[in-house]
Amino acid sequence: IESLCMQCHNNGMTKLLLTRIPHFKSIIIMSFYCPHCGLKNSEVQSGEAVQEKGHRYELRCGSKADLNRQVVRNGTASVSFPDWDFSAPPTTTSKLTTVEGLISHFIDDLSMDQDQRKELVPEVYEQIEGLIAKLRTALELPEENGEQDSDNAFTVVIDDPTGNSYVENLCAPNPDPRLSIQHYRRTREQMIQLGLLNPDAEDTQEAEEAGQGQTATKGPRINALQEAAAADNVVRAVKEASQSHEILSFPANCSSCNAPCDTRMQMVDIPHFQEVIIMSTTCDDCGYKSNEVKCGGAISSQGRRITLKIEDKEDLSRDILKSETSSFNIPELDLDMVAGTLGGRFTTIEGLIRQVHNELDSRVPFMEGDSA
């Protein structure tokens, strides 16, 4: 694509390439070159759809290993260091770097124009110099974590409303004690910034509610009773369809390519157990398939813990129903999957282990290759 060079104002050439990083996601690589002045520039943009929820990563850095963690910072992500009261807003470019590289980039940006600030605004110059000194001290961490954090330990927070940023988990697939991940629903302001919400339409809706005498609140407009009634209606409709051996189908979007697809559901009665709802989604565009099991009955008054000793292949063929609220672990492999990791599943022991393998292979980047 022929485009304008911002240095000499002549026309240069921009090249675009859509590619996919194995075990991560699709990206758009852009490269610009001007034959008149020799200016070169390259950047990376995310090629993935906006995730359902935003992600917030909080990492406590205390050793060199933490500085070497791989980081994918999307252009919509903000980076903050609470210990130093420093925050960097979202940028126009995405980066694949490390924690050390991220800090070095901030040092280079803050060091620019410091000579001019020293003459014009000495107070701002002194404040920036103090922050640069703290950032450089943060790069002098010990080789290993001790029982207590060193004096140079710090916390870095990456908040991405699109959910397309990533911080490497050194203990994957187990939880990392130094890394916490939070999934949250985007606020109205964030939805408007990402272009997912029309501010005029939202304001019109709030004005209509105010005109009807309703109080506009920041919380959800559907209360718990309405949600329970809607859930009961869905279960009732599924039961009626299952009695007539009918499979319900409703439109949805593919979680892989975001293309329109159908989700089918039917209620099944498991002998000696209870009724469950099996949901299945198939995308005709990209071939993505998923299935999930929802409990069709009431929540039991007590929890249940099942321990199974697997000794032969027949044990791998046992049927298993895993609800979306259950967790499971394999002590021999030091594998611990928290509740909600795989959702609800009605499969076999072998199928569950294969599902764990596929999830780790597709959702945890940097497990293989040069970064490993």
Side-chain angles (χ1 to χ4, degrees):
I1 302 175
E2 191 175 8
S3 53
L4 179 66
C5 176
M6 302 306 297
Q7 180 167 306
C8 65
H9 302 289
N10 292 317
N11 288 332
M13 186 62 61
T14 299
K15 298 180 180 179
L16 304 176
L17 175 63
L18 177 62
T19 184
R20 183 172 183 83
I21 299 177
H23 312 296
F24 186 47
K25 64 178 183 178
S26 299
I27 60 172
I28 302 175
I29 301 177
M30 295 178 287
S31 175
F32 173 79
Y33 174 70
C34 179
H36 303 283
C37 63
L39 176 65
K40 295 181 180 180
N41 184 25
S42 62
E43 61 181 78
V44 176
Q45 293 289 343
S46 173
E48 290 288 329
V50 177
Q51 303 300 316
E52 182 180 357
K53 293 183 179 181
H55 293 173
R56 184 180 185 273
Y57 295 87
E58 183 173 343
L59 173 65
R60 183 65 179 176
C61 297
S63 65
K64 291 289 186 181
D66 295 326
L67 294 177
N68 294 331
R69 290 175 186 255
Q70 297 279 357
V71 174
V72 177
R73 184 198 179 187
N74 196 39
T76 57
S78 61
V79 182
S80 61
F81 298 88
D83 298 324
W84 309 319
D85 196 18
F86 171 67
S87 178
T91 62
T92 58
T93 59
S94 302
K95 289 183 177 296
L96 174 60
T97 180
T98 62
V99 176
E100 181 178 3
L102 199 63
I103 296 177
S104 300
H105 176 73
F106 290 145
I107 293 176
D108 295 338
D109 286 350
L110 293 173
S111 300
M112 296 177 59
D113 301 329
Q114 273 294 84
D115 295 336
Q116 298 178 4
R117 295 192 190 96
K118 186 176 182 180
E119 298 178 357
L120 300 177
V121 280
E123 298 82 4
V124 177
Y125 167 81
E126 294 294 337
Q127 294 177 359
I128 295 179
E129 279 296 318
L131 180 58
I132 293 176
K134 294 179 180 179
L135 291 174
R136 289 174 176 169
T137 305
L139 301 179
E140 301 175 357
L141 293 177
E143 293 294 335
E144 297 181 357
N145 289 313
E147 295 181 358
Q148 296 182 353
D149 289 339
S150 63
D151 296 336
N152 298 334
F154 62 94
T155 301
V156 56
V157 178
I158 298 179
D159 192 338
D160 186 6
T162 65
N164 288 327
S165 295
Y166 182 83
V167 177
E168 183 181 4
N169 181 359
L170 299 181
C171 303
N174 296 325
D176 194 327
R178 289 190 165 270
L179 177 65
S180 64
I181 306 174
Q182 297 179 1
H183 303 270
Y184 62 90
R185 294 189 179 275
R186 287 179 284 269
T187 62
R188 179 176 180 271
E189 290 75 13
Q190 292 173 335
M191 297 282 285
I192 295 176
Q193 292 176 358
L194 297 177
L196 302 177
L197 181 64
N198 187 349
D200 298 333
E202 183 71 13
D203 292 338
T204 302
Q205 182 178 3
E206 291 181 355
E208 293 177 355
E209 293 179 354
Q212 296 174 359
Q214 298 179 358
T215 304
T217 60
K218 296 183 180 180
R221 296 185 176 88
I222 301 178
N223 57 31
L225 294 178
Q226 292 174 327
E227 290 182 352
D232 292 339
N233 293 333
V234 173
V235 173
R236 189 181 303 108
V238 174
K239 287 183 178 180
E240 294 175 355
S242 62
Q243 292 175 357
S244 60
H245 302 285
E246 180 184 357
I247 299 177
L248 294 181
S249 178
F250 57 90
N253 288 337
C254 175
S255 59
S256 179
C257 66
N258 205 33
C261 60
D262 293 331
T263 297
R264 298 172 177 85
M265 60 191 307
Q266 187 178 28
M267 180 166 286
V268 178
D269 187 7
I270 300 179
H272 311 292
F273 187 56
Q274 63 181 7
E275 294 178 337
V276 297
I277 300 175
I278 299 179
M279 306 176 63
S280 175
T281 303
T282 303
C283 180
D284 297 333
D285 291 348
C286 66
Y288 174 79
K289 297 181 180 180
S290 68
N291 61 82
E292 191 172 353
V293 177
K294 296 289 186 180
C295 181
I299 299 177
S300 302
S301 58
Q302 295 181 344
R304 177 176 297 179
R305 185 170 186 235
I306 302 174
T307 302
L308 174 64
K309 182 68 174 180
I310 300 177
E311 298 179 348
D312 50 28
K313 291 185 178 180
E314 293 183 357
D315 292 330
L316 293 176
S317 302
R318 291 175 181 260
D319 291 332
I320 180 174
L321 174 62
K322 177 191 175 297
S323 69
E324 63 271 16
T325 58
S326 65
S327 61
F328 77 97
N329 64 82
I330 304 177
E332 291 80 2
L333 300 179
D334 196 20
L335 175 65
D336 189 7
M337 306 297 288
V338 298
T341 304
L342 300 177
R345 289 289 185 272
F346 181 43
T347 177
T348 61
I349 299 295
E350 181 180 2
L352 186 63
I353 295 177
R354 290 186 182 275
Q355 180 69 24
V356 173
H357 176 272
N358 294 335
E359 289 289 326
L360 293 176
D361 185 61
S362 60
R363 295 180 178 270
V364 182
F366 315 124
M367 289 288 290
E368 299 177 358
D370 296 338
S371 61

